[in-house]
Amino acid sequence: MSDALEMDALWNDFHRVVNMTSAELAAWLRVSDAGETTEPLPDRAGSETGQHVLAILQKRRTDLTEDDLRVMEEVVDTVTAQTDPENEPVAEDAPRRHRLMNLGHDPLKP
């Protein structure tokens, strides 16, 4: 993805669908990965994709790698496919909400 317009569009789409801040996502990843008596190290909490999204949120656009761009595309595609406006998750649909939150998208967040 070498075209600046495509990169701008991806950057904007990514930040549109990832509506959690890096602090919110980091906290969620720690909570979602915590066991009854244990908690993972902060830099190891959550899925690999969740950790990658967190790393991307902490980067400037000029510091993105090809791998970052691939993950951004995957996240945009996944969140877009999972958040049909007619079928938006509700609080009672916790498993679906939690899967999206692992990618940085809280469907209940305004």
Side-chain angles (χ1 to χ4, degrees):
M1 180 178 296
S2 58
D3 183 46
L5 290 176
E6 288 179 17
M7 185 180 238
D8 287 346
L10 178 58
W11 177 265
N12 292 333
D13 287 345
F14 178 79
H15 286 282
R16 177 182 47 81
V17 301
V18 176
N19 63 358
M20 297 170 72
T21 65
S22 59
E24 290 170 332
L25 180 56
W28 166 251
L29 293 175
R30 284 192 307 273
V31 167
S32 69
D33 231 19
E36 193 171 307
T37 59
T38 62
E39 184 173 324
L41 295 172
D43 63 337
R44 294 187 184 160
S47 67
E48 185 177 328
T49 303
Q51 282 294 319
H52 203 141
V53 170
L54 182 59
I56 292 168
L57 288 174
Q58 298 168 342
K59 288 185 177 187
R60 296 177 300 179
R61 186 182 326 203
T62 56
D63 296 332
L64 297 173
T65 66
E66 288 297 318
D67 197 37
D68 294 336
L69 298 175
R70 180 190 54 77
V71 168
M72 290 170 69
E73 287 176 340
E74 288 175 7
V75 168
V76 169
D77 291 346
T78 301
V79 171
T80 301
Q82 294 285 321
T83 56
D84 175 12
E86 294 179 14
N87 194 20
E88 190 67 18
V90 292
E92 293 79 31
D93 192 359
R96 183 172 172 209
R97 178 180 181 224
H98 293 171
R99 283 191 306 273
L100 290 168
M101 288 175 69
N102 288 334
L103 300 176
H105 177 79
D106 184 351
L108 299 182
K109 188 174 178 180

